[in-house]
Amino acid sequence: MKKNIIITSVMSAFLLGILFLTPLKTIFYKGKPVEKEVNLNIGLDKRYSLPVYANAKADVQITITKWHGKKSTLLWQKSLKDIQLSKNAGLEKVEAQFITIPTSEKKDRIVVRYLVSYKDKGSTVELAYYDDLPKNKEDATVEVII
């Protein structure tokens, strides 16, 4: 009788272990560490060649943040100041930047945020843009259009 109880207990523990192995593995397994290549292309729209934008300038602040659950980590940050919109209108690349980011294979979410502040005749307008990078690719391109 004791032998049957022991065998049943061992078998049920084994089966429960198999059933719950995958969910427990996803909780404790942080994923394979990889490096993600991010290509930032910063450019201006062609409409800024209009006379309305003759004195307009823009500031751009770009941040790349890694989210692991609810915890965020700032990975990279860059600011571009006083970009003359009319002089650079239509340029596909004001600047290009390649960034290598250490991340976990599946757990981390990478977010690129760029805040554009337009300044003209004493007034300022700020617009924020967000871009999630795909998790399944090792490299990504983000077009930052001012």
Side-chain angles (χ1 to χ4, degrees):
M1 184 71 169
K2 283 185 179 182
K3 188 176 184 181
N4 288 341
I5 293 173
I6 292 172
I7 291 173
T8 307
S9 301
V10 169
M11 290 298 288
S12 59
F14 179 73
L15 289 174
L16 287 173
I18 290 173
L19 289 173
F20 293 107
L21 178 65
T22 304
L24 289 176
K25 185 178 177 182
T26 58
I27 291 170
F28 295 109
Y29 178 63
K30 293 188 177 186
K32 184 174 115 180
V34 294
E35 288 190 346
K36 186 178 283 272
E37 297 287 330
V38 180
N39 180 14
L40 287 175
N41 293 326
I42 304 164
L44 270 79
D45 201 338
K46 292 179 183 178
R47 69 175 176 226
Y48 295 128
S49 61
L50 296 172
V52 174
Y53 300 105
N55 298 321
K57 294 181 180 181
D59 295 338
V60 182
Q61 182 179 3
I62 305 166
T63 58
I64 299 178
T65 308
K66 175 171 66 172
W67 287 86
H68 188 82
K70 293 182 180 181
K71 181 184 174 194
S72 68
T73 305
L74 179 66
L75 298 174
W76 185 83
Q77 186 172 12
K78 179 162 185 141
S79 294
L80 301 171
K81 300 282 185 190
D82 294 330
I83 300 171
Q84 188 69 37
L85 297 178
S86 62
K87 289 182 182 177
N88 297 311
L91 286 179
E92 289 183 17
K93 289 186 183 178
V94 172
E95 187 171 327
Q97 189 84 39
F98 295 96
I99 302 117
T100 303
I101 297 172
T103 182
S104 177
E105 185 179 38
K106 295 183 181 181
K107 291 274 187 172
D108 295 335
R109 181 176 152 226
I110 307 295
V111 178
V112 178
R113 178 188 79 110
Y114 56 101
L115 177 68
V116 183
S117 300
Y118 297 98
K119 299 182 287 185
D120 188 22
K121 298 178 185 172
S123 63
T124 303
V125 175
E126 290 185 341
L127 298 173
Y129 301 93
Y130 296 89
D131 198 358
D132 280 340
L133 300 183
K135 290 184 180 182
N136 55 353
K137 293 183 180 179
E138 288 188 13
D139 58 344
T141 301
V142 177
E143 300 291 333
V144 177
I145 305 298
I146 301 171

